[in-house]
Amino acid sequence: MNAPLTIALPKGRLLDSVATHLEQRGLNLTFEKRQLSAQDPTGFLKAYKVKNHDLPAYVHHGIAGLGIAGDDTVAESGHTFTRVATLPFGGTRLCLAAPVGTAVPDGRNGPVTVATSYVRMTREWFHQRGIPVKIIRLDGSVELAPVLGLAPYIVDLVETGSTLKANGLEVIQDMRTIQVRLLANPAYFKLHYREIRQLSDIMNMNVD
Ligand code: PRP
């Protein structure tokens, strides 16, 4: 029997959806208390639970051959992966937001100050439009920045919009959609092409 496919899964809110999705399709990954790895009883898949932000490093270095991550995580990592398939849930939008009524910045009055955890995507978006930008990097609770006067604008993921609304903010520009992908280390993909296709079939996903 072949060795199991290895996959890195992100801790956090995506993990439950992914584990449930796999379980409904006969791949049961039960992480025992505090354990960070789990193998399904059929021996097809071995999973590692890692921090979202660290996931690209594990797949890039081939420690896990596969990973499930959002476009945001991949874009911020700077690594290139083989995109195998798109998951049917977990999609969000990356948005520029500010206090209600704020105009879209054009940079005519000097650099635009933006607080965000998504530094690469933010820099790229402003550069593509020729708008000078000063980025303040934050790890979370970014919505506080305009409220407390750290930065007039934020770039963040928006799902329902309720966090923005609760803090007196609104989307002033949609920047891009973010999907959740099944990714592969390019060398691993070539070596395990057939089993990986089998996994995307089991997961019932549209192959990219
Ligand atoms: C994410 C994101 C927003 C919020 C958006 O934060 O950064 O804060 O969800 O969701 P909503 O539009 O449905 O309100 P997360 O909860 O992952 O934590 P964070 O703020 O620490 O990044």
Side-chain angles (χ1 to χ4, degrees):
M1 188 178 165
N2 290 338
L5 288 176
T6 51
I7 188 166
L9 301 178
K11 279 181 170 179
R13 52 167 129 170
L14 206 50
L15 183 67
D16 287 344
S17 320
V18 172
T20 307
H21 188 80
L22 289 169
E23 199 180 324
Q24 285 166 348
R25 285 153 183 84
L27 289 170
N28 189 359
L29 293 170
T30 307
F31 290 90
E32 299 300 335
K33 202 167 174 244
R34 311 288 311 159
Q35 277 206 342
L36 298 173
S37 58
Q39 186 167 323
D40 88 289
T42 69
F44 182 61
L45 196 60
K46 179 156 193 180
Y48 308 112
K49 202 160 52 166
V50 303
K51 277 256 187 204
N52 202 23
H53 184 76
D54 298 334
L55 193 145
Y58 282 96
V59 182
H60 175 71
H61 292 286
I63 306 302
L66 302 166
I68 289 183
D71 294 329
D72 52 320
T73 306
V74 176
E76 293 299 318
S77 78
H79 293 308
T80 306
F81 302 109
T82 302
R83 212 167 82 184
V84 181
T86 302
L87 275 75
F89 53 83
T92 53
R93 295 177 295 148
L94 185 76
C95 297
L96 180 66
V100 174
T102 307
V104 178
D106 56 17
R108 271 187 230 149
N109 301 321
V112 180
T113 304
V114 181
T116 187
S117 311
Y118 303 98
V119 174
R120 272 180 188 251
M121 287 188 290
T122 301
R123 190 183 297 125
E124 196 180 323
W125 192 86
F126 277 89
H127 282 186
Q128 278 170 355
R129 283 156 187 78
I131 303 172
V133 63
K134 182 183 158 211
I135 297 172
I136 298 176
R137 191 204 165 100
L138 296 177
D139 271 342
S141 303
V142 172
E143 294 84 357
L144 268 178
V147 178
L148 300 181
L150 181 64
Y153 298 95
I154 63 169
V155 167
D156 203 3
L157 298 181
V158 177
E159 208 172 326
T160 62
S162 54
T163 312
L164 289 181
K165 197 167 173 209
N167 290 286
L169 308 175
E170 66 180 0
V171 171
I172 59 170
Q173 184 81 60
D174 249 312
M175 294 165 69
R176 61 174 283 184
T177 58
I178 301 288
Q179 297 287 337
V180 180
R181 319 280 186 183
L182 173 64
L183 308 163
N185 172 294
Y188 189 86
F189 183 72
K190 282 187 196 144
L191 267 176
H192 300 277
Y193 180 83
R194 201 174 303 162
E195 301 96 304
I196 295 171
R197 280 280 172 260
Q198 206 181 330
L199 176 65
S200 30
D201 283 350
I202 293 171
M203 289 178 83
N204 205 8
M205 292 185 301
N206 291 329
V207 170
D208 287 335

